[in-house]
Amino acid sequence: MLDANAVDYETSIPNNVGLSSDRRVLKALEKWHPGYLDWWNEMGPEGFQESLVYLRTAVGVEPGGWAKFDYVRMPEYRWGVLLAPKEEDRLIGFGQHKDQPAWQEVPGEYRAILQRLCVIQGDTEPASVEQQRHLGKTAPSLYDMRNLFQVNVEEARHLWAMVYLLQKYFGKEGRAEAEGLLFRRSGDDDKPRMLGAFNEATPDWLSFFMFTYFTDRDGKMQLESLAQSGFDPLARTTRFMLTEEAHHMFVGESGVSRVIQRTCDAMKRAGIENPFDIDKIRALGVIDLPTIQKKANLHYSLSLDLFGSEISTNAATAFNNSLKGRYKEDKIEDDHQLITETYPVLKPVDGKFVLVDEPALTALNLRLRDDYTRETDGGVRRWNRQMVKNGIDFEFKLPSVSFNRSIGLFSNIHTTPEGEALNQEEFLSRKDEWLPSSDDGAFVSSLMEQVTEPGSFAGWISPPRIGIDNKTGDFEYVRLQ
Ligand code: BYC
């Protein structure tokens, strides 16, 4: 019997969606492919297209053994279209279509909104590759370089995932949107990427680790809510994307932790107890803890903006129409329709913040953002446990949700990271205390130097505890050409 979950590697595009018998979509994808490769060669990792990279490639969609590792040149990576296994007779779990069979085709009345969700999701994936394209040149080790490239090829696969949905289910308009995903460019004034954080620079490796910790986690939360969708192909696509996403957040959390560890080690060795003795600490060639906190402030606040406005009719409509659910919707015990429920929303009122009950339906972006904050805080607590272990008196903190915001209820006010109101002048004059200044940026950049000796690491970061795919410390993760 044909295994419905097996990946077909015979067609030009590996897939488990039966592309070989779906000529129309296969043709559309094959037509899109050369433009994609042009994009990858122009905007993907700069200077490493010929290198052999020890990458994992998805070879199946079952939880155990879904990937295999081998040396690959990135332009030859087998980007495929992979959906999580189909759940027979799946019923929709929320919204006005709750308990109806999940849709295998796009319901006409929800076409525009579903297409928009796929386009926004799709747009972030190539954007992150563009943001990170220069980082290979300053990779602190071959291990880190490999992780960067792994993240890049998988984000690019996530672009494929959305392009497949657009081309299969959204006709001519979907094909035009698939072209648009290759046309926009992160940070470009004339054709920027769609969401704020994806037009910011990722200038150094600390920013990369912060991005993969904070911003990839927004990706996780958004994918989790799309994984609940009544539109089954979207739910299955995003469910498989989540399998890959876990490694990206691991790269972020462990990356920050390794930077912290190196700083603590250097401080202890030099007998420096005060973490705010910044000049002395920087002279050791490591990143001082207050600068790490500033980077966290920046990336957390940018990532909060990605959840949209706290009060959003778009979010209410998407939920009500059973298109985008809550985080772990299937584990929540309520009516899954939110007809009468309320949710507490923190609002600025006369210079103070007060909790106001709002209809839960319109507060869904905030609810997801609160779930995100809880998870994010978990990693910050782990970094703080590391401080205690090292005996250094410093505590990392997530800034207030009011700090440095551009979207939603706090976008027009300024506060300190503790949430104290400031006027614009005060904020601008003190901004460098809380967000990376140009001097901080210049210092971090001055440390960024490529290290290519297998098993060696730049002086500002400690080695990982274990290798990828259980490889030993001196494994050559990238064979540079
Ligand atoms: N920047 O009601 P509102 C990832 C727009 S990351 C610019 O407040 P809504 C990844 C909004 O589009 C996850 N514009 O918000 C991570 C709307 O515009 P229109 C990506 C913004 O619609 C790392 C208007 O403001 N996936 O995967 O409820 C590496 C009013 O909207 C922003 C998704 O986001 C912003 N920050 O929610 C690689 C999931 N925020 O329609 C990948 C799909 C809002 O009036 N997207 N606007 O022109 C969505 O679910 C929602 O569109 C949003 C916004 C959560 C983004």
Side-chain angles (χ1 to χ4, degrees):
M1 203 179 95
L2 195 71
D3 177 358
N5 298 325
V7 179
D8 171 8
Y9 274 89
E10 296 305 310
T11 43
S12 53
I13 299 148
N15 71 91
N16 71 341
V17 293
L19 275 185
S20 56
S21 54
D22 192 349
R23 305 304 302 173
R24 184 183 60 82
V25 177
L26 181 61
K27 243 173 90 187
L29 282 170
E30 283 175 347
K31 200 161 159 222
W32 183 81
H33 198 166
Y36 166 80
L37 282 177
D38 288 347
W39 166 80
W40 177 268
N41 285 316
E42 187 196 329
M43 297 310 295
E46 196 183 78
F48 297 91
Q49 305 285 2
E50 290 304 311
S51 301
L52 285 166
V53 188
Y54 192 69
L55 293 174
R56 71 176 183 191
T57 304
V59 291
V61 291
E62 296 292 359
W66 60 272
K68 77 168 175 41
F69 287 83
D70 208 347
Y71 284 103
V72 180
R73 279 189 189 83
M74 285 183 279
E76 292 160 17
Y77 188 77
R78 301 294 308 271
W79 285 287
V81 176
L82 305 168
L83 273 61
K86 188 166 175 180
E87 229 178 85
E88 286 311 319
D89 306 319
R90 177 176 166 240
L91 298 179
I92 297 175
F94 63 96
Q96 60 169 314
H97 301 287
K98 184 174 174 312
D99 297 331
Q100 295 172 12
W103 307 301
Q104 299 307 323
E105 294 294 331
V106 177
E109 66 270 40
Y110 303 145
R111 196 180 177 80
I113 170 167
L114 272 171
Q115 183 175 310
R116 183 161 174 80
L117 288 173
C118 292
V119 171
I120 295 181
Q121 182 62 49
D123 192 68
T124 61
E125 314 289 0
S128 69
V129 175
E130 291 164 5
Q131 288 171 298
Q132 295 160 13
R133 64 189 292 259
H134 302 297
L135 291 174
K137 284 189 209 148
T138 53
S141 70
L142 291 181
Y143 165 90
D144 290 289
M145 188 188 279
R146 176 257 165 225
N147 283 350
L148 166 72
F149 296 156
Q150 183 73 63
V151 168
N152 291 161
V153 293
E154 286 177 350
E155 298 300 7
R157 200 200 68 72
H158 294 177
L159 166 64
W160 275 88
M162 289 302 128
V163 164
Y164 166 72
L165 293 178
L166 287 167
Q167 295 192 333
K168 175 149 176 85
Y169 296 99
F170 297 92
K172 201 168 150 207
E173 273 181 48
R175 288 196 292 279
E177 290 288 8
E179 293 301 325
L181 292 172
L182 296 179
F183 174 74
R184 288 182 289 277
R185 291 283 182 274
S186 173
D188 189 304
D189 287 340
D190 298 323
K191 42 177 185 169
R193 292 292 174 183
M194 298 173 86
L195 299 179
F198 293 90
N199 288 304
E200 299 283 328
T202 310
D204 55 63
W205 276 76
L206 182 55
S207 300
F208 170 66
F209 293 137
M210 291 292 177
F211 182 94
T212 40
Y213 183 68
F214 287 107
T215 307
D216 275 72
R217 194 172 302 276
D218 164 60
K220 172 190 163 177
M221 303 309 283
Q222 300 291 346
L223 292 173
E224 287 274 4
S225 41
L226 295 173
Q228 305 282 340
S229 183
F231 178 45
D232 205 40
L234 176 61
R236 291 174 55 207
T237 300
T238 47
R239 247 181 282 148
F240 186 67
M241 288 161 76
L242 281 162
T243 319
E244 290 160 318
E245 207 59 54
H247 176 63
H248 306 183
M249 288 177 294
F250 160 80
V251 169
E253 180 169 346
S254 61
V256 175
S257 161
R258 289 164 54 213
V259 178
I260 293 173
Q261 192 53 47
R262 188 74 188 94
T263 302
C264 292
D265 290 344
M267 284 172 66
K268 283 191 284 184
R269 213 173 305 130
I272 301 174
E273 283 183 5
N274 179 4
F276 294 93
D277 213 340
I278 289 176
D279 291 341
K280 268 198 196 155
I281 295 168
R282 287 187 176 182
L284 304 173
V286 293
I287 306 175
D288 52 287
L289 303 172
T291 297
I292 299 175
Q293 173 70 60
K294 286 190 204 178
K295 288 263 191 188
N297 289 348
L298 175 67
H299 287 270
Y300 176 65
S301 55
L302 286 171
S303 302
L304 290 183
D305 281 344
L306 293 174
F307 289 83
S309 305
E310 290 85 347
I311 308 287
S312 165
T313 50
N314 286 348
T317 306
F319 182 87
N320 200 34
N321 293 341
S322 308
L323 303 173
K324 187 179 170 191
R326 289 171 291 177
Y327 182 48
K328 302 200 168 152
E329 183 73 47
D330 44 359
K331 309 272 175 343
I332 300 174
E333 287 192 17
D334 65 8
D335 69 353
H336 301 278
Q337 292 187 315
L338 302 177
I339 294 165
T340 54
E341 267 93 320
T342 59
Y343 191 84
V345 178
L346 191 69
K347 287 186 170 178
V349 179
D350 299 333
K352 286 204 204 89
F353 298 158
V354 284
L355 280 173
V356 180
D357 278 341
E358 290 284 343
L361 251 190
T362 54
L364 283 166
N365 285 344
L366 174 60
R367 181 183 175 125
L368 190 64
R369 202 191 73 192
D370 284 345
D371 289 328
Y372 166 83
T373 294
R374 260 189 296 280
E375 267 211 21
T376 308
D377 196 43
V380 174
R381 272 189 272 128
R382 285 188 284 279
W383 295 331
N384 282 333
R385 280 206 287 278
Q386 204 179 334
M387 302 310 311
V388 173
K389 241 193 210 160
N390 280 285
I392 289 180
D393 187 14
F394 188 87
E395 189 184 352
F396 291 102
K397 282 195 190 110
L398 290 179
S400 160
V401 294
S402 61
F403 176 72
N404 192 40
R405 300 296 308 283
S406 300
I407 300 276
L409 291 167
F410 299 100
S411 57
N412 293 322
I413 62 169
H414 293 291
T415 76
T416 65
E418 288 74 35
E420 283 163 49
L422 297 171
N423 62 37
Q424 185 174 18
E425 209 178 313
E426 288 169 323
F427 179 78
L428 291 177
S429 69
R430 295 186 61 190
K431 192 167 159 256
D432 288 355
E433 290 174 35
W434 308 310
L435 292 167
S437 64
S438 48
D439 281 356
D440 297 329
F443 170 69
V444 176
S445 292
S446 75
L447 296 181
M448 298 294 123
E449 241 179 307
Q450 195 185 53
V451 175
T452 57
E453 179 65 29
S456 293
F457 289 80
W460 55 270
I461 187 165
S462 47
R465 259 188 248 130
I466 41 166
I468 295 295
D469 194 28
N470 288 322
K471 294 297 178 204
T472 51
D474 59 354
F475 184 71
E476 192 178 9
Y477 288 101
V478 182
R479 292 187 183 147
L480 297 165
Q481 303 290 317

